[in-house]
Coordinates of all heavy atoms in Angstrom, one line a residue:
L26 N 87.1 103.5 91.1 CA 88.3 104.2 91.5 C 89.2 104.7 90.4 O 89.8 105.8 90.4 CB 89.1 103.2 92.4 CG 88.5 102.8 93.7 CD1 89.4 101.8 94.5 CD2 88.3 104.1 94.6
G27 N 89.3 103.9 89.3 CA 90.1 104.3 88.1 C 89.5 105.5 87.5 O 90.3 106.4 87.2
V28 N 88.2 105.5 87.2 CA 87.7 106.7 86.5 C 87.7 108.0 87.3 O 87.9 109.1 86.8 CB 86.3 106.4 85.9 CG1 86.3 105.3 84.9 CG2 85.3 106.1 87.1
L29 N 87.5 107.8 88.6 CA 87.6 108.9 89.5 C 89.0 109.5 89.6 O 89.2 110.7 89.6 CB 87.1 108.6 90.9 CG 85.6 108.5 91.2 CD1 85.3 108.0 92.6 CD2 85.0 109.9 90.9
L30 N 90.0 108.6 89.6 CA 91.4 109.0 89.6 C 91.8 109.8 88.3 O 92.4 110.8 88.4 CB 92.3 107.8 89.8 CG 93.7 108.1 90.2 CD1 93.8 108.9 91.4 CD2 94.5 106.8 90.4
V31 N 91.3 109.3 87.2 CA 91.6 110.0 85.9 C 90.9 111.3 85.9 O 91.4 112.3 85.4 CB 91.2 109.1 84.7 CG1 91.4 109.9 83.4 CG2 92.0 107.8 84.7
A32 N 89.7 111.4 86.5 CA 88.9 112.6 86.4 C 89.6 113.7 87.2 O 89.4 114.9 86.9 CB 87.5 112.4 87.0
T33 N 90.4 113.4 88.2 CA 91.1 114.4 89.0 C 92.4 114.9 88.2 O 93.1 115.8 88.8 CB 91.5 113.9 90.3 OG1 92.4 112.8 90.2 CG2 90.3 113.4 91.1
H34 N 92.6 114.4 87.0 CA 93.8 114.7 86.1 C 95.1 114.8 87.0 O 95.7 115.9 87.0 CB 93.5 116.0 85.3 CG 93.0 117.2 86.0 ND1 91.7 117.3 86.5 CD2 93.6 118.3 86.4 CE1 91.6 118.5 87.1 NE2 92.7 119.1 87.0
P35 N 95.5 113.7 87.6 CA 96.7 113.7 88.3 C 97.9 113.7 87.4 O 97.7 113.7 86.2 CB 96.6 112.4 89.2 CG 95.8 111.5 88.3 CD 94.8 112.4 87.6
P36 N 99.1 113.6 87.9 CA 100.3 113.4 87.0 C 100.1 112.2 86.1 O 99.5 111.2 86.5 CB 101.5 113.2 88.0 CG 101.0 114.0 89.2 CD 99.6 113.8 89.3
F37 N 100.7 112.2 84.9 CA 100.5 111.2 83.9 C 100.8 109.8 84.4 O 100.0 108.9 84.1 CB 101.2 111.5 82.6 CG 100.9 110.6 81.5 CD1 99.7 110.5 80.9 CD2 101.9 109.7 81.0 CE1 99.4 109.7 79.9 CE2 101.7 108.9 80.0 CZ 100.4 108.8 79.4
P38 N 101.9 109.6 85.1 CA 102.1 108.2 85.6 C 100.9 107.7 86.5 O 100.6 106.5 86.4 CB 103.4 108.3 86.5 CG 104.1 109.5 85.9 CD 103.0 110.4 85.5
V39 N 100.3 108.5 87.2 CA 99.1 108.1 88.0 C 98.0 107.8 87.1 O 97.2 106.9 87.4 CB 98.8 109.2 89.0 CG1 97.6 108.8 89.9 CG2 100.0 109.5 89.9
V40 N 97.8 108.6 86.0 CA 96.8 108.3 85.0 C 97.0 106.9 84.5 O 96.0 106.1 84.3 CB 96.8 109.3 83.9 CG1 95.9 108.9 82.8 CG2 96.4 110.7 84.4
L41 N 98.2 106.5 84.2 CA 98.5 105.1 83.7 C 98.1 104.1 84.7 O 97.6 103.0 84.4 CB 100.0 105.0 83.3 CG 100.5 105.9 82.2 CD1 102.0 105.7 82.0 CD2 99.7 105.5 80.9
V42 N 98.4 104.4 86.0 CA 98.0 103.4 87.0 C 96.5 103.3 87.1 O 95.9 102.2 87.2 CB 98.5 103.9 88.4 CG1 97.9 103.0 89.5 CG2 100.0 103.8 88.4
A43 N 95.8 104.4 86.9 CA 94.3 104.4 86.9 C 93.8 103.6 85.7 O 92.8 102.8 85.9 CB 93.8 105.8 86.8
F44 N 94.3 103.8 84.5 CA 93.9 103.0 83.4 C 94.2 101.5 83.6 O 93.3 100.7 83.2 CB 94.6 103.5 82.1 CG 94.0 104.7 81.5 CD1 94.7 105.8 81.2 CD2 92.7 104.6 81.0 CE1 94.1 106.9 80.6 CE2 92.1 105.7 80.4 CZ 92.8 106.9 80.2
S45 N 95.3 101.2 84.2 CA 95.6 99.7 84.5 C 94.6 99.2 85.5 O 94.2 98.0 85.4 CB 97.0 99.6 84.9 OG 97.2 100.2 86.2
A46 N 94.2 100.0 86.5 CA 93.2 99.5 87.4 C 91.9 99.2 86.8 O 91.2 98.2 87.1 CB 93.0 100.6 88.5
V47 N 91.5 100.1 85.9 CA 90.2 99.8 85.1 C 90.3 98.6 84.3 O 89.4 97.7 84.2 CB 89.8 101.0 84.3 CG1 88.6 100.7 83.4 CG2 89.6 102.3 85.1
A48 N 91.5 98.4 83.6 CA 91.7 97.2 82.8 C 91.7 95.9 83.7 O 91.2 94.9 83.3 CB 93.0 97.3 82.1
L49 N 92.3 96.0 84.9 CA 92.3 94.9 85.8 C 90.9 94.5 86.2 O 90.5 93.3 86.1 CB 93.1 95.3 87.1 CG 93.2 94.2 88.2 CD1 93.9 93.0 87.7 CD2 93.9 94.8 89.4
G50 N 90.0 95.5 86.5 CA 88.6 95.2 86.8 C 87.9 94.7 85.6 O 87.1 93.7 85.7
A51 N 88.2 95.2 84.4 CA 87.6 94.7 83.2 C 88.0 93.2 82.9 O 87.2 92.4 82.5 CB 88.0 95.6 82.0
G52 N 89.3 92.9 83.2 CA 89.7 91.5 83.0 C 89.0 90.6 83.9 O 88.6 89.5 83.5
F53 N 88.8 91.0 85.2 CA 88.0 90.1 86.1 C 86.6 89.9 85.7 O 86.1 88.8 85.6 CB 88.0 90.8 87.5 CG 89.3 90.6 88.3 CD1 89.9 91.6 89.0 CD2 89.8 89.3 88.5 CE1 91.0 91.4 89.7 CE2 91.0 89.1 89.2 CZ 91.6 90.2 89.9
L54 N 86.0 91.0 85.3 CA 84.6 91.0 84.9 C 84.4 90.2 83.6 O 83.5 89.4 83.4 CB 84.0 92.4 84.8 CG 82.5 92.6 84.9 CD1 82.0 92.1 86.2 CD2 82.2 94.1 84.7

């Protein structure tokens, strides 16, 4: 979900949310 969201190049605050989602998944894994 994070990489797909960044790939759609949304507004920058949404990009930050996407990066944090990927980091959240990385932390779990």
